[in-house]
């Protein structure tokens, strides 16, 4: 069953922020810091929440930090842990925390059936079509043809670029064992990974991640408004 609006926990420290608009529409799910050293997406989501993020239509679910121990350590995995992004669909009975958490997240996805699942990553390499893998800045999809939302969002991002260095590209890069592809396979949703290049200042990366999320939400029919913070 879909979650009621408010805050819910899929682990003692993993919060799902659930928003519901008055107008009906699709559900979008955005998550960050599945890799703990890729922090810009988490910062972007926290900024958006602080500004009073609310959907215009449908439902919006936000998980700002998926992997807290990894985020605290600023490392890809938790110290001594597994790559959470490679533990899907997870296992509720597993010894490893990552498999159990992946299962909780997978159950959330299966209950919510979002139209869009966007995962906010970052890349140590700047995107270069001649270099595989290289990701920053790309919107990555793993099922062809590209979902139309990818081209639309990339075009709009590049239309409003402040600096040509920040140019975005769509990138087809299937990784069969990644959380995104396991989720796409199970639900048929649009599953995207957002990648910014870590060579930019954090402030720029955060601004870029935020803008991508806003445009994706708009293109998927959920939209993002800000009510202003109540605190
Ligand atoms: Zn990543």
């Amino acid at each position: 069953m879909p979650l009621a609006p408010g805050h819910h926990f899929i682990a003692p420290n993993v919060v799902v922020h659930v928003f519901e608009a008055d107008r009906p529409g699709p559900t979008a799910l955005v998550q960050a810091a599945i890799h703990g050293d890729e922090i810009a997406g988490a910062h972007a989501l926290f900024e958006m929440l602080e500004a009073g993020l609310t959907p215009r239509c449908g439902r919006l679910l936000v998980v700002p930090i998926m992997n807290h121990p990894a985020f605290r350590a600023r490392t890809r995995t938790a110290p001594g842990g597994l790559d959470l992004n490679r533990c899907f669909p997870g296992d509720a009975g597993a010894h490893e925390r990552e498999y159990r958490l992946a299962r909780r997240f997978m159950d959330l996805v299966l209950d919510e059936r979002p139209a869009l699942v966007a995962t906010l990553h970052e890349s140590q390499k700047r995107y270069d079509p001649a270099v595989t893998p290289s990701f920053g800045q790309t919107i990555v999809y793993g099922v062809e043809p590209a979902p139309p939302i990818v081209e639309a969002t990339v075009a709009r991002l590049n239309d409003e670029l402040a600096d040509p260095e920040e140019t975005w590209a769509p990138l087809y890069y299937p990784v069969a064992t990644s959380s995104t592809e396991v989720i796409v396979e199970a639900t048929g949703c649009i599953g995207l990974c957002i990648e910014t290049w870590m060579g930019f200042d954090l402030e720029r990366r955060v601004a870029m991640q935020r803008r991508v999320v806003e445009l994706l939400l708009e293109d998927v029919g959920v939209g993002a408004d800000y009510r202003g913070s109540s605190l």
Side-chain angles (χ1 to χ4, degrees):
M1 220 171 79
L3 294 172
H7 308 103
H8 301 269
F9 292 86
I10 54 170
N13 57 2
V14 181
V15 184
V16 186
H17 300 260
V18 180
F19 302 94
E20 203 165 273
D22 293 334
R23 283 191 281 171
T27 296
L29 172 52
V30 185
Q31 54 128 320
I34 198 166
H35 292 138
D37 55 338
E38 301 167 14
I39 63 174
H43 288 234
L45 293 177
F46 281 128
E47 279 189 11
M48 295 168 83
L49 291 168
E50 284 164 15
L53 175 66
T54 187
R56 256 175 249 140
C57 302
R59 287 163 58 78
L60 172 59
L61 280 71
V62 177
V63 183
I65 299 181
M66 275 289 284
N67 194 343
H68 277 269
F71 185 77
R72 285 198 299 277
R74 296 293 190 269
T75 48
R76 184 175 180 86
T77 70
L82 301 172
D83 184 340
L84 179 57
N85 200 36
R86 296 285 187 276
C87 291
F88 281 69
D91 177 355
H95 171 68
E96 297 90 346
R97 178 187 67 91
E98 290 85 355
Y99 279 106
R100 285 183 273 123
L101 177 54
R103 188 63 248 174
R104 293 277 188 92
F105 190 82
M106 200 67 202
D107 288 341
L108 172 72
V109 169
L110 293 173
D111 284 346
E112 296 286 342
R113 296 280 162 170
L116 169 71
V117 175
T119 302
L120 310 184
H121 289 265
E122 293 207 87
S123 174
Q124 298 192 2
K125 282 191 205 154
R126 198 152 192 183
Y127 177 59
D128 175 348
V131 177
T132 302
S134 66
F135 294 107
Q137 278 73 239
T138 54
I139 297 180
V140 184
Y141 58 98
V143 177
E144 288 202 290
I149 190 175
V150 174
E151 289 287 350
T153 299
V154 165
R156 290 177 68 187
L157 285 165
N158 288 336
D159 273 352
E160 60 184 40
L161 277 189
D163 183 339
E165 282 201 313
E166 293 180 1
T167 299
W168 286 80
L171 176 61
Y172 173 64
Y173 190 82
V175 181
T177 57
S178 74
S179 64
T180 301
E181 286 193 50
V182 172
I183 288 167
V184 169
E185 177 79 27
T187 69
C189 71
I190 300 170
L192 304 176
C193 293
I194 312 310
E195 298 268 5
T196 42
W197 179 49
M198 288 177 176
F200 290 127
D201 289 348
L202 181 59
E203 200 182 338
R204 284 175 81 180
R205 287 145 53 199
V206 172
M208 281 191 275
Q209 293 270 354
R210 181 172 171 163
R211 192 62 190 139
V212 178
V213 172
E214 289 169 349
L215 291 175
L216 286 174
L217 290 177
E218 201 166 310
D219 281 343
V220 83
V222 171
D225 277 336
Y226 297 100
R227 295 167 303 194
S229 176
S230 55
L231 286 176

